[in-house]
Amino acid sequence: MEMSKLRVNGERLRTALEEMAGIGGTPGGGVHRLALSDEDKAARALFIKWLSELNLEVSVDEMGNIFGKRPGLENSLPPVMAGSHIDSQPFGGRFDGILGVMGALEVMRTVHENNIETHRPLVIVNWTNEEGSRFSPATMGSGVWASKLDLQWIYSRTDTSGKKFVEELDRIGFRGDVPAKAFPVRAYFEYHIEQGPILEKQDKDVGAPGGIVGITWMDVYLTGTANQVGPTPMEGRNDALCTAAEMILKIDQLPKKMGGNMVATVGEIHNSPNSRNIVPDGVHFTVDLRSWDDELANRAWDDARNDFEAIAARRGCSIRIEETWRVDHMPFDSKLVQLVLDNAEELGHSPLKMISGAGHDAGYMSMIAPTAMIFVPSIDGRSHVEVEDTTWEDCEAGANVLLHSMLKTAMDRN
Ligand code: GLV
Ligand code: MN
Ligand code: MN
């Protein structure tokens, strides 16, 4: 068959996505498949079964990243790679991450059944713990693979119940023996839902981000004085939760105060002892700050830190701030981004060049290899929630853009 006529099988992609949605599926129609959980393990096993059916060369590295390689005619050339992540947010959606893994699988299935021979090898990948929700930071698998995060530090990270990353990786049987170290990659493509409202609002059906915003993650720990709430006067309290409340509002107001393009969020909080009749003495909360403008983000964080210190001092609480993660904005390869836009156009879609406000493994990949992403619309711009949705038609459309982006790059010897 003429290469330009080749199309993925949209029904087969849908079936794969639906089968995956059953692993960790929630009553609300979402997915709860946290990194290194039993659900993650089950989905990984199914993924590997599907890779093996295509006779791909499967390997698992010491981070639990899973690779499936299809040889090329010139097998020593750096491959064209595509993938995303199987893990989900707590009570998250059925498309975030898994669409990029199943989309790349559908490309492999299409290429396989049509006996296509590419010059370069093709590699499909599932990165470990993209979400960073159970174990922080996010995009751990790609971060270690790209030598941007330290393996031993990542192994030592714990979840809120004190379980260690490396022990959970061992428990699910996915600590492989291949070093988590990048090999040369000609191009990396990540297919993903947009997770925002822009494509829908602008009536476009394919997005090609020019890059990902910079992301800063802080963990703030406050210590106050616990006491019986009844007899303890309001005067002189060191209430860690009220201290946090003031700080959280500062974060909410920060983007407006700084001007420019920025979002800032406190999404996680732990209060101790968390009893209605004890003045709280221990709070841990997170700060997530994102902007394309790294300098603006740095100034914003300095401003917030000054406010935090003043609030803590006034309320008599001690404060400790840990910088858990910081990545500057991550521009993609302009030629590959253009290739995605052109392919979308050729396939009859209306593409949009945009920016990704969400983090992706493509961020770390862009630091070591030419990288681009393909977005499809999120209905009502909702994501990281159970109602996250994308039409099957759009899922198929994005997979076809991925197919042709991969094929054109893999046929190119340069
Ligand atoms: C990844 O899901 C992110 O936090 O953007
Ligand atoms: Mn994702
Ligand atoms: Mn996500």
Side-chain angles (χ1 to χ4, degrees):
M1 183 195 281
E2 198 189 319
M3 196 86 85
S4 64
K5 299 251 166 29
L6 206 63
R7 295 291 180 273
V8 301
N9 180 334
E11 268 308 304
R12 186 170 55 193
L13 172 61
R14 174 181 177 162
T15 304
L17 284 164
E18 285 180 333
E19 196 163 340
M20 278 293 181
I23 304 176
T26 62
V31 162
H32 187 78
R33 199 165 53 226
L34 301 185
L36 314 189
S37 62
D38 290 346
E39 292 77 22
D40 188 9
K41 175 182 178 176
R44 285 163 172 265
L46 179 59
F47 176 56
I48 287 181
K49 175 175 159 276
W50 285 340
L51 296 187
S52 307
E53 285 167 7
L54 298 174
N55 302 320
L56 301 183
E57 187 190 308
V58 177
S59 61
V60 179
D61 73 17
E62 57 197 345
M63 267 300 290
N65 297 319
I66 302 169
F67 302 86
K69 181 174 177 182
R70 183 176 191 272
L73 291 169
E74 293 175 57
N75 211 27
S76 60
L77 287 177
V80 172
M81 192 172 185
S84 194
H85 60 100
I86 279 176
D87 69 313
S88 85
Q89 285 285 320
F91 296 89
R94 293 176 298 150
F95 295 90
D96 178 1
I98 197 68
L99 176 63
V101 184
M102 294 301 100
L105 176 71
E106 180 50 39
V107 167
M108 289 295 204
R109 285 173 165 172
T110 303
V111 167
H112 181 75
E113 74 188 354
N114 286 282
N115 300 311
I116 305 282
E117 292 186 311
T118 53
H119 286 302
R120 294 174 180 278
L122 300 178
V123 173
I124 179 171
V125 59
N126 166 55
W127 300 110
T128 294
N129 186 28
E130 189 273 352
E131 294 291 0
S133 177
R134 179 179 178 200
F135 298 98
S136 63
T139 55
M140 276 185 176
S142 54
V144 172
W145 202 72
S147 298
K148 304 296 176 192
L149 295 173
D150 178 66
L151 177 69
Q152 294 309 321
W153 180 66
I154 292 297
Y155 276 180
S156 72
R157 303 295 290 166
T158 53
D159 67 9
T160 51
S161 69
K163 289 192 175 129
K164 250 190 175 173
F165 178 92
V166 67
E167 285 162 12
E168 286 294 278
L169 188 59
D170 278 335
R171 186 187 68 78
I172 67 162
F174 273 91
R175 176 150 54 142
D177 41 25
V178 177
K181 197 115 194 63
F183 45 75
V185 173
R186 168 62 189 89
Y188 174 73
F189 294 100
E190 187 162 344
Y191 172 31
H192 208 279
I193 51 167
E194 180 202 346
Q195 307 188 271
I198 295 168
L199 290 174
E200 202 176 62
K201 273 198 180 134
Q202 300 203 21
D203 204 21
K204 303 284 186 187
D205 47 14
V206 174
I212 303 177
V213 294
I215 306 178
T216 303
W217 279 9
M218 297 288 177
D219 281 77
V220 181
Y221 298 87
L222 301 170
T223 309
T225 311
N227 215 340
Q228 150 65 287
V229 298
T232 308
M234 297 307 287
E235 276 313 291
R237 286 188 180 193
N238 315 123
D239 183 326
L241 189 56
C242 288
T243 307
E246 269 198 58
M247 294 175 179
I248 291 167
L249 287 178
K250 287 284 180 202
I251 292 300
D252 185 51
Q253 292 149 3
L254 194 57
K256 197 163 180 194
K257 180 175 176 188
M258 299 306 296
N261 211 325
M262 171 185 297
V263 290
T265 311
V266 173
E268 184 179 343
I269 184 163
H270 304 272
N271 177 52
S272 141
N274 211 30
S275 165
R276 72 174 72 208
N277 45 3
I278 305 177
V279 176
D281 70 342
V283 170
H284 163 209
F285 69 90
T286 60
V287 178
D288 175 309
L289 210 86
R290 304 185 184 204
S291 176
W292 185 260
D293 183 341
D294 305 323
E295 210 264 323
L296 180 73
N298 288 341
R299 274 193 290 117
W301 176 249
D302 285 346
D303 189 87
R305 183 193 293 272
N306 287 339
D307 278 343
F308 282 11
E309 277 162 6
I311 295 165
R314 175 162 44 75
R315 286 187 170 270
C317 288
S318 65
I319 180 168
R320 181 168 68 81
I321 300 174
E322 213 176 278
E323 181 181 300
T324 308
W325 196 35
R326 189 192 283 260
V327 276
D328 283 349
H329 81 279
M330 296 155 268
F332 292 159
D333 183 84
S334 54
K335 281 197 194 130
L336 283 193
V337 174
Q338 193 56 49
L339 178 71
V340 169
L341 291 165
D342 293 345
N343 284 334
E345 194 100 43
E346 276 169 32
L347 287 161
H349 304 298
S350 53
L352 180 73
K353 176 128 187 245
M354 54 193 304
I355 281 179
S356 175
H360 300 286
D361 294 299
Y364 279 127
M365 285 305 290
S366 72
M367 299 177 192
I368 58 160
T371 291
M373 290 190 77
I374 298 153
F375 280 177
V376 285
S378 294
I379 295 175
D380 293 331
R382 303 286 307 278
S383 183
H384 279 185
V385 287
E386 290 173 289
V387 298
E388 174 183 283
D389 205 2
T390 291
T391 67
W392 297 120
E393 194 188 349
D394 285 339
C395 289
E396 181 178 346
N400 275 318
V401 177
L402 177 66
L403 170 72
H404 286 281
S405 301
M406 289 182 76
L407 281 182
K408 281 184 190 160
T409 321
M411 288 305 185
D412 190 358
R413 287 189 179 83
N414 304 308

